[in-house]
Each structure stands twice: as structure tokens, then as C-alpha cells.
């Protein structure tokens, strides 16, 4: 019975490796140099599939993977139907924030009943946040380079992930609100959890004991 783990390249892949090591699993190829999308591990019954970050919940929900690691931002946007979320792994930590041009009067723009044009990939998070503030939002859905939107006049504000804040600074944008803290979660296919219970439990327990406690 093979166990398939869905990961995305970059921070999530890199920060999951120590957790896999704690479970006695070593990935045998480097995704930065290999063109393979299915990576073998030193455990014959465990493989890693590389998918886009926003596709991880879909793979796990429909059983294309038994388990995966995905950001809370992605989970909120995708929805958590069919997914068991046993662990907050405390990796790939960042926050979702609102940012505007340094010369934009945000407080005036979000006075009660105002309209704001917001560009983001995170339309659910942004819609809920501004609805709670009573601000009408014209949403512009983007898939990347959100920082460009206020600089080109496409939008007044962006809702995006911020880690160090360097990307905002480099583009003359300022963070005006923190919407929520983000970290990545282990998600497990609910049917797989029953069918492959013993093997998945061992992996989940090893991950749990290796989570950073700070
Ligand atoms: P920073 O310059 O460190 O604030 O990072 C901001 C850039 O990195 C933005 O383009 C974000 O979309 C992206 N980013 C930051 N943290 C994460 C994360 N945990 N996962 C994916 N992308 C991130």
C-alpha cells in the first residue's frame, strides 16, 4: 500500500523535510534540479508528488494524494471539505495583510460605507475581512505579483502574504492591516485515514513530535 504525500516546491517542501526525517523518511531527489513530479523516498512505500500550492487540498480531497502540507490561506480559499487536519505544523509562517501605496490615505478610504478596489489572490479572506468592517469592495482577482496592482492603478489596496515585509518595502507599499497569521497544516484524505490507518498514524505521530514548540 503506497503512501503519497503532496507538497509544493519552495518553503513548504524545504520546511517539511525535517518533519519527514523525524518520520524516518528521506526524499531521494532535489526538486530544484530534478524535473520529476513524483519523487521517490528511501521508504519504498512512500512517495512525494510535487503540485502547485493551491492544488494540494484538491489532490488530497480527491485521493490523488493521501496527505499533503498546505498553508492556512490556501485551506481557507479552497475549503476543508473531505480533509482531516490533524496538525498545525508551524512551518512557512507568515501573515495575510492589507497593503497600499505609501501615499494612499487608507483610513479615509475605509471609512464606513466607502468603496475600495482590492486586488488579491485571496478573495474569500479579503471579502470576509472587509465585509466585517462595513467596507464595500470591488474585488480584482489576480494570480501573482499582487504588489504591482496599486503601483499601476489597477487597485487601491492588495491583500497578500507578508513574511519579512521586504517585498512591500521594495515596491513602496506599506502594510496597513494584519488580517491573520498563517502557518502550514498537515491535511489527510479521510478515506485514506481509515484504509491506511496504521502507516499514516505513524507519520502523523512523528510529525507531531517534531513540531517546533516556540
Ligand atoms: P516578504 O518579502 O518576506 O514579506 O515575502 C513576501 C512575498 O513572499 C510575497 O510575494 C508573498 O506572496 C510571498 N510569501 C511570503 N510568505 C509566504 C509563504 N509562507 N508561502 C508562500 N508565499 C509566501
Amino acid at each position: 500500500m503506497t503512501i503519497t504525500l503532496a507538497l509544493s516546491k519552495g518553503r513548504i517542501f524545504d520546511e517539511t523535510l525535517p518533519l519527514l526525517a523525524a518520520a524516518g523518511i528521506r526524499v531521494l531527489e532535489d526538486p530544484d534540479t530534478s524535473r520529476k513530479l513524483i519523487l521517490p523516498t528511501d521508504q519504498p512505500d512512500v512517495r512525494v508528488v510535487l503540485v502547485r500550492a493551491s492544488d494540494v487540498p484538491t489532490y488530497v480531497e480527491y485521493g490523488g494524494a493521501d496527505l499533503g502540507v498546505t498553508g492556512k490561506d490556501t485551506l481557507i480559499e479552497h475549503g476543508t471539505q473531505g480533509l482531516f487536519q490533524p496538525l498545525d505544523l508551524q512551518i512557512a509562517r507568515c501573515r495575510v495583510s492589507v497593503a497600499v501605496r505609501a501615499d494612499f490615505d487608507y483610513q479615509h478610504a475605509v471609512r464606513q460605507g466607502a468603496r475600495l478596489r482590492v486586488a488579491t489572490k485571496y478573495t474569500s479572506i479579503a471579502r470576509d475581512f472587509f465585509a466585517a468592517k462595513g467596507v464595500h469592495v470591488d474585488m480584482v482577482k489576480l494570480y501573482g505579483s499582487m504588489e504591482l496592482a496599486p503601483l499601476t492603478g489597477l487597485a487601491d489596496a492588495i491583500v497578500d502574504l507578508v513574511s519579512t515585509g521586504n517585498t512591500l518595502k521594495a515596491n513602496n507599499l506599506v502594510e496597513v492591516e494584519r488580517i491573520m497569521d498563517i502557518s502550514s497544516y498537515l491535511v489527510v484524505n479521510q478515506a485514506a485515514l481509515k484504509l491506511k490507518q496504521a502507516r499514516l498514524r505513524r507519520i502523523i505521530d512523528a510529525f507531531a513530535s517534531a513540531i517546533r514548540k516556540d
Side-chain angles (χ1 to χ4, degrees):
M1 220 163 15
T2 304
I3 300 290
T4 302
L5 168 67
L7 296 175
S8 51
K9 280 197 211 180
R11 270 182 84 176
I12 286 180
F13 183 89
D14 297 344
E15 295 182 29
T16 300
L17 289 184
L19 301 173
L20 283 169
I25 300 164
R26 205 165 53 87
V27 181
L28 294 177
E29 291 197 41
D30 177 357
D32 292 332
T33 51
S34 170
R35 286 178 175 274
K36 286 187 186 168
L37 297 174
I38 300 180
L39 306 181
T41 74
D42 64 348
Q43 302 298 306
D45 63 338
V46 181
R47 61 182 188 167
V48 170
V49 291
L50 296 174
V51 304
R52 272 187 81 119
S54 53
D55 291 337
V56 167
T58 307
Y59 269 83
V60 177
E61 180 187 350
Y62 293 107
D66 300 301
L67 67 178
V69 176
T70 184
K72 182 174 155 191
D73 50 311
T74 306
L75 273 179
I76 292 174
E77 293 296 325
H78 175 88
T80 56
Q81 62 282 355
L83 298 175
F84 175 57
Q85 304 161 64
L87 297 173
D88 177 353
L89 299 174
Q90 297 290 346
I91 61 170
R93 287 199 278 190
C94 58
R95 54 194 185 268
V96 182
S97 291
V98 182
V100 297
R101 274 165 61 150
D103 60 0
F104 182 77
D105 185 351
Y106 178 74
Q107 291 312 327
H108 180 74
V110 294
R111 67 199 181 283
Q112 201 71 23
R115 281 200 98 81
L116 190 71
R117 187 182 281 265
V118 175
T120 188
K121 185 158 83 173
Y122 305 104
T123 49
S124 294
I125 294 172
R127 189 166 283 119
D128 288 353
F129 176 73
F130 286 108
K133 286 172 76 78
V135 176
H136 298 286
V137 164
D138 296 314
M139 202 70 75
V140 181
K141 168 94 184 182
L142 291 178
Y143 295 90
S145 300
M146 258 83 81
E147 297 84 3
L148 261 181
L151 306 177
T152 55
L154 181 65
D156 303 315
I158 60 171
V159 169
D160 195 10
L161 299 180
V162 179
S163 179
T164 61
N166 291 338
T167 305
L168 293 180
K169 214 170 288 168
N171 290 291
N172 290 316
L173 299 176
V174 290
E175 186 177 5
V176 286
E177 304 222 46
R178 289 183 175 212
I179 300 180
M180 65 175 73
D181 289 328
I182 297 292
S183 55
S184 286
Y185 284 68
L186 184 65
V187 290
V188 185
N189 176 277
Q190 286 179 343
L193 192 61
K194 295 198 187 85
L195 291 170
K196 306 178 182 179
Q197 192 172 25
R199 186 68 177 102
L200 288 175
R201 261 287 147 219
R202 284 213 306 278
I203 295 173
I204 294 167
D205 290 347
F207 274 32
S209 62
I211 292 172
R212 278 172 36 191
K213 301 289 186 303
D214 58 357

